[in-house]
Amino acid sequence: MAGSAIGPDESSDPSSSATAFSSLAQVSSLLPEASALSASTGLVEPYLDGYATSNVTTQIGTHAYLPCRVKQLGNKSVSWIRLRDGHILTVDRAVFIADQRFLAIKQPDKYWTLQIKYVQARDAGSYECQVSTEPKVSARVQLQVVVPRTEILGDPDRYVKAGSNVVLRCIVRGALEPPTFIMWYHGAEQLAADSRRHRIQLDPNLPEATGDGLSTIGSLIIESAKKRDTGNYTCSPSNSPSATVTLNIINGESSASAVTSAAATTRAYALCVLALLLSVILIGVGHRT
C-alpha cells in the first residue's frame, strides 16, 4: 500500500525490532519525569509583589491605608496582624476585632488593603500582611502617625483695656496638610466667621522659622472689646487638638490699678506666710537646743 512506510522485509528484520523496542523503552522511562515536571509548572504559589517592609505616614484623625499586593493567590487567605499584641485584625474580608475602624478592602489590582479609619496616636506601629501558605508568606508595614501641635501665641491669661481691638492668633504646627478650618469658641458658644464685632482669618502654608515645615495661623479679631467679651477663648482646628486662652477686659486705668493692687496684695500675703513658717522653724530649733 502507498501509505505503508515499512515493507515486509524491513518489519521482519530482528535488528530493526530491537532498535524500535529500545527507543520505546527510553520514552516510557521519561514519562514519569515529564508528568512531574508538568505538575510542578502547573502548581501556582502565591507571592507578594513589593518590599518585605514598607512605611506609611498619616495624620491623626485621617484614614490610613496599608497596602499588601498578592499575586497568584488562588484559594489561599490573606490576613492582617497587629504585631504589638499579635491581634488578628482581618482574614480576607472578615474582621476579627471589635474596633470598627479596621476594614480589609479587596481591590481589583490584587491589593488587599487594611483601612484604619480616624487614625489615633496609639495606632502607630508595625502591621503584617500574611498569606496562608506553608511556609508563610508575609510583609510588614510600619505605620507612623503625625500629631500636629496647636498653641495660641502669647500668655495664657490676657488683660486688655476696654475699647481696644484684640487679636488672638492660633498656630497649627507639624501637620501634613493644613487644616481646612479653625473654629473659635467663646466659652461654649461658637463664634461666626464674620460677624459685626468678630472676624476670623485663616493663613495656611506659612513657612516655619526653623525651616522644618509649614504652619497655619488662624486669627480671631475682636473689635472694640467690651466687658462681656471676658472669658475663655478656644481655637479648634479641623486636624489637631484645641487650645484655650483666658481674656480679661478691664475698664480703663482704675481696673488696671486694681489688677496691679491685687497682684501686690497676693505677693505680700505670700511673704507673710513665708515669714511665719520661718518663725515656727526657728522656735522649734530653739526648743530642741
Side-chain angles (χ1 to χ4, degrees):
M1 293 178 59
S4 177
I6 302 176
D9 295 337
E10 292 177 321
S11 62
S12 59
D13 186 357
S15 61
S16 299
S17 300
T19 302
F21 180 81
S22 175
S23 300
L24 182 60
Q26 291 177 4
V27 171
S28 300
S29 65
L30 292 175
L31 284 178
E33 297 181 11
S35 300
L37 180 62
S38 175
S40 63
T41 55
L43 182 62
V44 177
E45 286 292 336
Y47 68 94
L48 297 175
D49 184 19
Y51 297 101
T53 302
S54 58
N55 297 298
V56 172
T57 302
T58 191
Q59 187 167 294
I60 190 171
T62 62
H63 294 356
Y65 298 90
L66 279 56
C68 179
R69 192 175 189 187
V70 184
K71 289 191 173 182
Q72 301 178 170
L73 180 61
N75 61 352
K76 302 298 183 181
S77 296
V78 178
S79 304
W80 276 100
I81 313 296
R82 186 171 59 196
L83 292 184
R84 66 177 167 85
D85 56 5
H87 200 301
I88 299 175
L89 303 174
T90 63
V91 177
D92 293 336
R93 288 189 175 90
V95 179
F96 288 85
I97 187 171
D99 191 338
Q100 298 181 354
R101 298 180 303 120
F102 291 86
L103 181 67
I105 303 174
K106 175 65 172 68
Q107 296 172 304
D109 52 1
K110 299 180 175 60
Y111 275 102
W112 279 94
T113 299
L114 178 67
Q115 181 189 51
I116 308 176
K117 298 180 180 179
Y118 309 109
V119 171
Q120 302 172 10
R122 61 184 175 87
D123 293 325
S126 296
Y127 296 80
E128 189 169 79
C129 168
Q130 298 180 357
V131 181
S132 61
T133 56
E134 188 58 45
K136 178 184 67 177
V137 175
S138 64
R140 292 188 180 185
V141 180
Q142 183 71 28
L143 177 62
Q144 299 176 346
V145 180
V146 173
V147 182
R149 307 180 305 280
T150 307
E151 63 176 308
I152 298 178
L153 301 179
D155 297 330
D157 289 284
R158 312 283 180 84
Y159 292 88
V160 179
K161 190 175 179 180
S164 303
N165 291 339
V166 179
V167 180
L168 301 178
R169 289 188 173 89
C170 176
I171 185 167
V172 178
R173 306 180 191 272
L176 296 178
E177 298 180 358
T180 55
F181 60 83
I182 294 181
M183 292 183 178
W184 283 91
Y185 294 85
H186 181 202
E189 177 189 0
Q190 181 180 340
L191 300 177
D194 192 6
S195 65
R196 188 169 58 87
R197 294 186 53 246
H198 302 100
R199 288 187 293 113
I200 296 175
Q201 295 179 349
L202 188 64
D203 300 314
N205 297 326
L206 300 175
E208 289 280 5
T210 59
D212 293 335
L214 300 176
S215 62
T216 298
I217 294 181
S219 300
L220 172 65
I221 303 170
I222 305 173
E223 297 183 354
S224 187
K226 302 184 181 337
K227 191 69 176 177
R228 67 175 180 267
D229 293 321
T230 295
N232 291 334
Y233 287 82
T234 301
C235 77
S236 181
S238 62
N239 62 348
S240 63
S242 300
T244 301
V245 65
T246 301
L247 184 63
N248 301 278
I249 308 300
I250 55 178
N251 293 324
E253 295 181 359
S254 59
S255 295
S257 62
V259 171
T260 304
S261 176
T265 302
T266 302
R267 286 195 296 270
Y269 177 76
L271 289 173
C272 290
V273 171
L274 181 59
L276 181 59
L277 289 174
L278 288 174
S279 300
V280 171
I281 293 172
L282 292 174
I283 291 173
V285 171
H287 279 303
R288 284 197 294 271
T289 56

